[in-house]
Amino acid sequence: NAGVTQTPKFRVLKTGQSMTLLCAQDMNHEYMYWYRQDPGMGLRLIHYSVGEGTTAKGEVPDGYNVSRLKKQNFLLGLESAAPSQTSVYFCASTPEWGMGNQPQHFGDGTRLSIL
Amino acid sequence: GDSVTQMEGPVTLSEEAFLTINCTYTATGYPSLFWYVQYPGEGLQLLLKATKADDKGSNKGFEATYRKETTSFHLEKGSVQVSDSAVYFCALRDLNTNAGKSTFGDGTTLTVKP
């Protein structure tokens, strides 16, 4: 009963390095989302996907790229990390059916520090 | 666009005290409303929800009623415990919003002292 799994859980990068955060869900959900959580700013949507092979920008997409090659996986990439990207990143998913009434299911987060 | 405004925190209460966390919203359509809870080091998890006006969501002693006339969804609990210490997020999902994206409040940190 895994739900939404994020890897890695923690990571420290140097400015300019690249990395990919992986999100995997085993609930056959159609919709997936990437958020960042910063103190005092709640959750901000970075990118989202409405199905395999589709992606779209959220409210804070700059500096990030995403891919959804398989329905169960949603990858978030940082091509050239910057200190402003230090944050906790959360992935979430939700089914399409009755989506307006369905909550989002969240992973436990990836804590990323950029030095 | 849609928005959610939560009571600012942090909130500190003694065990067995009454809890209210205010939440108001603006939406163009007829949203479903949610309360999520986030414990330290974890992701958000659904606490309760309400999908239409006058619905009451409840779980683990927490309650919230969907008030369309006041556009509110206040969270209440009659007697809090130390284990309720967490961050609470109010959120909405609007069927009219592309991809069913959720709109979250900024979160309210609750600390319950023994």
Side-chain angles (χ1 to χ4, degrees):
Chain A
N1 192 19
V4 178
T5 302
Q6 291 184 233
T7 54
K9 295 188 184 304
F10 304 94
R11 185 74 183 268
V12 178
L13 291 179
K14 295 181 179 179
T15 298
Q17 287 185 317
S18 64
M19 79 161 295
T20 300
L21 282 64
L22 172 63
C23 176
Q25 53 94 4
D26 61 2
M27 298 171 284
N28 201 35
H29 285 174
E30 202 69 33
Y31 292 68
M32 297 185 75
Y33 310 83
W34 275 107
Y35 296 91
R36 59 178 290 173
Q37 184 179 33
D38 302 291
M41 303 189 74
L43 288 167
R44 292 184 291 170
L45 182 65
I46 304 171
H47 286 282
Y48 63 97
S49 168
V50 300
E52 182 178 310
T54 74
T55 63
K57 294 180 180 180
E59 60 179 308
V60 289
D62 294 341
Y64 305 94
N65 57 74
V66 287
S67 65
R68 183 111 181 259
L69 298 180
K70 293 182 179 181
K71 185 177 182 178
Q72 63 267 34
N73 296 337
F74 195 29
L75 279 64
L76 178 70
L78 286 73
E79 290 187 347
S80 180
S84 61
Q85 295 176 304
T86 294
S87 187
V88 182
Y89 292 86
F90 288 99
C91 177
S93 70
T94 193
E96 180 180 22
W97 180 83
M99 66 177 183
N101 298 334
Q102 298 300 320
Q104 294 188 348
H105 297 255
F106 285 82
D108 284 341
T110 295
R111 285 145 185 82
L112 184 60
S113 293
I114 316 295
L115 305 179
Chain B
D2 297 345
S3 68
V4 174
T5 302
Q6 275 184 243
M7 181 174 92
E8 290 188 13
V11 175
T12 302
L13 296 173
S14 297
E15 205 164 24
E16 299 184 1
F18 185 84
L19 168 70
T20 299
I21 301 178
N22 290 338
C23 172
T24 58
Y25 68 91
T26 59
T28 54
Y30 298 94
S32 295
L33 302 175
F34 304 85
W35 276 101
Y36 291 86
V37 59
Q38 183 182 30
Y39 299 104
E42 298 182 8
L44 281 70
Q45 54 186 275
L46 178 69
L47 180 59
L48 53 84
K49 71 176 185 181
T51 58
K52 61 182 186 295
D54 299 324
D55 269 3
K56 178 185 283 188
S58 62
N59 186 27
K60 299 180 181 180
F62 291 90
E63 293 183 339
T65 300
Y66 191 141
R67 301 287 189 198
K68 192 169 186 289
E69 64 277 14
T70 55
T71 62
S72 64
F73 193 53
H74 305 322
L75 182 68
E76 296 183 336
K77 187 175 185 182
S79 177
V80 294
Q81 305 300 312
V82 172
S83 57
D84 294 327
S85 298
V87 183
Y88 293 83
F89 291 89
C90 184
L92 67 83
R93 292 189 78 189
D94 192 335
L95 286 174
N96 294 324
T97 301
N98 186 31
K101 290 179 286 185
S102 292
T103 301
F104 291 88
D106 287 342
T108 301
T109 300
L110 171 66
T111 302
V112 180
K113 296 188 173 181

